Amino acid sequence: MKNAVLNIDRDVKLSNVNKNIYGHFSEHLGRCIYDGIYVGENSEISNIHGMRKDVVEALKEIKIPVLRWPGGCFADEYHWKDGIGEKSTRKKMVNTSWGGVVEDNSFGTHEFMDLCEMLGCEPYIAGNLGSGTIQEMSEWIEYMTFDGVSPMAELRRKNGREKPWKVKYFGIGNENWGCGGNMRPEYYSDEYKRYQTFCKSYSGNELFKIACGPSGDDYNWSEKLLETVNNRQMSAYSLHYYTIPTSDWSYKGKALEFSEDEYYSTISNAVYIEKIIEKNKELIKKYDPEEKIKLIIDEWGNWLEVEEGTNPAFLYQQNTMRDAITAALNLNIFNNHSDVVIMANIAQVVNVLQSVVLTDGAYMVKTPTFYVFKMFVPHHDATLVKSEISDIKVGVGESMVSALSSSVTTNESGELFATIANCSLEEGFTLEINAEGVISAEIISADDVHDYNDFNCEEKVTLKEYKGYREENGKTYVEIPACSVVSVKFR
Ligand code: AHR
């Protein structure tokens, strides 16, 4: 084991780690909504109002704080009025974004809000700017949030919901540089301003308006948006960044079989998001010196080739220890930039891309990524403190990366919580931490980086209590095995 150091300055408090950094994303895509979340009341799979009990329980276990819906690309072809009222009369439509399958609209606004109430999480609605009208968007907000007498509030009541819901987070378009209309940033920014004018805050419901931000490192998009739209018109903008192991979208690499090269290029591509966040932070400072505008990373995660034999448009992939490592790296980065990053939504919650749970008929399995979200719960709404970890490079060829990543927060009782990821496949570290009084420690590790959790089998990658530390002379020495994620809580 090599030596490394984590220095914590517990008195230097930096920013609030908004629990919404641990948010999720659900789209009408493949088996995310239907099968994954919603099976209908008449299903043999155990459900509450049609929602799978096993999935709801699992998501509660990781204290899901916010859920984005209905897309994704689907959001810009979704017409919300098709998804309300008596189910048998709801319109059937073609999901042109994802495989041309029939969307029967049996999961709509009421069902989504019901789900959020069950989960105890906040809804984040993605509105349709690409193919919808201003009237449609403004009426959706009125339908969901207006408490007085109005056509949309009456319609909601007629559909069985007397009181409005609280909807804070509202996105005005999705990927409007691509599937949301192939717009130029100049055009989108003007459209955004027009649409947002009619997104009203009704009945004490303060809308937090989210503009469509860039694809990855398209800084020109961010800059044009920030030049055009001010901090009264937009509270935040979104950033989408997916990690692929290769540099070629036509072959992204497999979920379960990958070489050492592919492993390190995945890590290297994953941590590139930090540069993108830093650059966007600079741009926000330039155009909004008060720094009121925030960043929401409302789609992120590993995007791999679909599992063999599954519909290529359904984006179903398995999830290994590699995914646990990249999840931990991303979450540490978001925590460390929580002055600007106030929400993130991993894509997607069930059965699509880097999911926390996968389903197969009545079976459900928790993925390695699930256990990272579970481990990181103490960071929710805690305060980031200054910390620095040794920068030791590992990797192969062009993919040389820092082996260790960490973030440290403190809570109201003054306890410290540190999460450490070691992405090295070979090297373990003895980490000297300048803190003592360990309350608990946990670890996620695997015999092999390719390990994953399969249906109806014992889980190979889980969260375990960890005893691999000793305290000496006011310091704590923690063994951080190769390819592992470790957390330590101190008094
Ligand atoms: O998450 C899958 C797709 O990725 C989303 O629909 C879209 O917004 C992005 O391109």
Side-chain angles (χ1 to χ4, degrees):
M1 290 249 178
K2 278 193 179 161
N3 293 328
V5 177
L6 170 62
N7 245 312
I8 304 174
D9 206 338
R10 74 191 300 160
D11 296 328
V12 182
K13 301 194 165 75
L14 297 172
S15 47
N16 170 51
V17 173
N18 194 317
K19 67 177 176 190
N20 289 336
I21 284 176
Y22 295 86
H24 292 263
F25 168 37
S26 59
E27 179 167 9
H28 290 243
L29 190 180
R31 297 188 303 110
C32 181
I33 299 291
Y34 302 112
D35 254 22
I37 293 174
Y38 186 76
V39 286
E41 285 173 4
N42 299 327
S43 171
E44 282 175 7
I45 298 172
S46 175
N47 69 82
I48 320 160
H49 306 167
M51 317 293 167
R52 289 182 73 120
K53 258 192 191 162
D54 50 0
V55 171
V56 167
E57 284 313 313
L59 297 181
K60 279 165 111 172
E61 200 181 324
I62 55 173
K63 299 195 188 321
I64 172 175
V66 63
L67 186 61
R68 179 173 181 247
W69 174 83
C73 295
F74 181 79
D76 278 297
E77 65 169 327
Y78 182 61
H79 300 286
W80 68 272
K81 283 187 185 160
D82 296 346
I84 54 170
E86 171 51 40
K87 285 198 184 178
S88 59
T89 62
R90 291 188 193 176
K91 266 191 205 159
K92 292 188 173 45
M93 66 178 276
V94 190
N95 187 334
T96 60
S97 299
W98 304 112
V101 296
V102 175
E103 163 62 59
D104 71 2
N105 278 304
S106 55
F107 187 94
T109 304
H110 289 250
E111 290 74 23
F112 176 65
M113 291 300 180
D114 194 16
L115 172 67
C116 290
E117 280 175 0
M118 271 180 213
L119 295 170
C121 76
E122 287 210 55
Y124 168 9
I125 300 282
N128 178 351
L129 176 142
S131 73
T133 63
I134 294 182
Q135 181 179 358
E136 188 181 358
M137 187 179 285
S138 117
E139 285 186 342
W140 200 4
I141 295 166
E142 181 189 321
Y143 184 89
M144 292 186 288
T145 63
F146 188 54
D147 204 8
V149 178
S150 81
M152 291 304 115
E154 290 309 321
L155 183 58
R156 183 192 68 236
R157 290 187 186 107
K158 194 176 131 232
N159 287 332
R161 174 80 187 194
E162 175 58 35
K163 283 282 154 203
W165 294 282
K166 282 271 174 243
V167 178
K168 179 174 175 183
Y169 299 106
F170 195 85
I172 301 178
N174 170 77
E175 296 196 351
N176 303 95
W177 35 261
C179 64
N182 285 304
M183 300 173 191
R184 293 175 308 122
E186 295 84 349
Y187 180 78
Y188 170 75
S189 303
D190 285 341
E191 282 293 273
Y192 173 87
K193 285 212 289 193
R194 203 156 74 97
Y195 273 70
Q196 72 79 34
T197 307
F198 303 96
C199 294
K200 308 282 184 190
S201 289
Y202 292 112
S203 312
N205 181 76
E206 268 310 304
L207 277 190
F208 188 95
K209 298 176 198 170
I210 301 156
C212 163
S215 167
D217 56 8
D218 179 359
Y219 304 120
N220 180 50
W221 182 280
S222 304
E223 189 137 21
K224 290 286 171 343
L225 180 69
L226 284 159
E227 252 170 35
T228 318
V229 186
N230 66 38
N231 66 21
R232 288 180 307 284
Q233 297 157 334
M234 108 175 126
S235 313
Y237 65 89
S238 66
L239 161 69
H240 287 184
Y241 181 74
Y242 285 102
T243 300
I244 61 168
T246 62
S247 48
D248 176 6
W249 276 86
S250 64
Y251 181 73
K252 298 175 280 299
K254 290 187 177 175
L256 297 179
E257 290 159 36
F258 49 89
S259 63
E260 196 181 342
D261 279 19
E262 271 184 81
Y263 170 79
Y264 281 112
S265 61
T266 311
I267 304 294
S268 167
N269 292 344
V271 297
Y272 181 59
I273 199 170
E274 185 157 29
K275 279 208 176 62
I276 302 176
I277 294 170
E278 282 166 355
K279 183 71 188 161
N280 274 281
K281 198 154 131 181
E282 274 173 32
L283 291 171
I284 290 173
K285 262 194 196 151
K286 178 172 163 197
Y287 290 97
D288 177 30
E290 293 171 279
E291 290 175 66
K292 283 193 175 160
I293 296 173
K294 301 293 178 193
L295 209 51
I296 290 187
I297 299 158
D298 59 22
E299 289 188 29
W300 68 274
N302 292 340
W303 190 324
L304 310 164
E305 291 297 309
V306 298
E307 293 309 320
E308 256 173 56
T310 65
N311 186 331
F314 282 13
L315 311 186
Y316 175 80
Q317 67 193 42
Q318 251 294 358
N319 197 293
T320 64
M321 186 65 210
R322 173 176 62 169
D323 296 87
I325 294 283
T326 59
L329 296 175
N330 272 286
L331 293 170
N332 277 337
I333 290 171
F334 302 158
N335 286 347
N336 289 331
H337 292 281
S338 51
D339 57 335
V340 65
V341 177
I342 52 126
M343 190 197 291
N345 310 74
I346 190 169
Q348 299 190 359
V349 68
V350 189
N351 291 336
V352 172
L353 303 179
Q354 192 176 350
S355 303
V356 286
V357 296
L358 301 174
T359 68
D360 181 8
Y363 293 114
M364 187 202 76
V365 79
K366 295 170 180 168
T367 65
T369 301
F370 174 93
Y371 288 107
V372 174
F373 275 80
K374 184 166 175 177
M375 175 188 267
F376 279 54
V377 163
H379 282 313
H380 292 201
D381 279 339
T383 305
L384 181 75
V385 297
K386 192 174 169 204
S387 67
E388 198 176 346
I389 196 158
S390 306
D391 186 8
I392 301 162
K393 293 284 189 269
V394 294
V396 285
E398 285 174 16
S399 305
M400 295 304 289
V401 290
S402 301
L404 295 168
S405 127
S406 63
S407 64
V408 184
T409 56
T410 183
N411 62 15
E412 279 172 356
S413 322
E415 294 164 349
L416 280 180
F417 182 62
T419 45
I420 303 122
N422 176 8
C423 71
S424 171
L425 288 176
E426 312 272 306
E427 202 75 62
F429 294 91
T430 301
L431 188 67
E432 177 192 302
I433 307 180
N434 61 334
E436 60 178 341
V438 175
I439 301 171
S440 58
E442 292 180 324
I443 188 165
I444 301 167
S445 60
D447 294 339
D448 188 307
V449 65
H450 302 91
D451 280 354
Y452 64 100
N453 297 334
D454 207 354
F455 297 100
N456 216 10
C457 296
E458 200 186 326
E459 289 184 335
K460 283 191 175 167
V461 189
T462 57
L463 182 60
K464 296 193 179 104
E465 195 192 345
Y466 190 50
K467 293 284 178 205
Y469 62 87
R470 66 191 154 84
E471 297 182 73
E472 219 175 275
N473 299 329
K475 294 195 168 157
T476 304
Y477 296 84
V478 188
E479 304 302 319
I480 314 285
C483 196
S484 70
V485 186
V486 172
S487 72
V488 192
K489 194 183 261 183
F490 298 94
R491 266 196 301 277

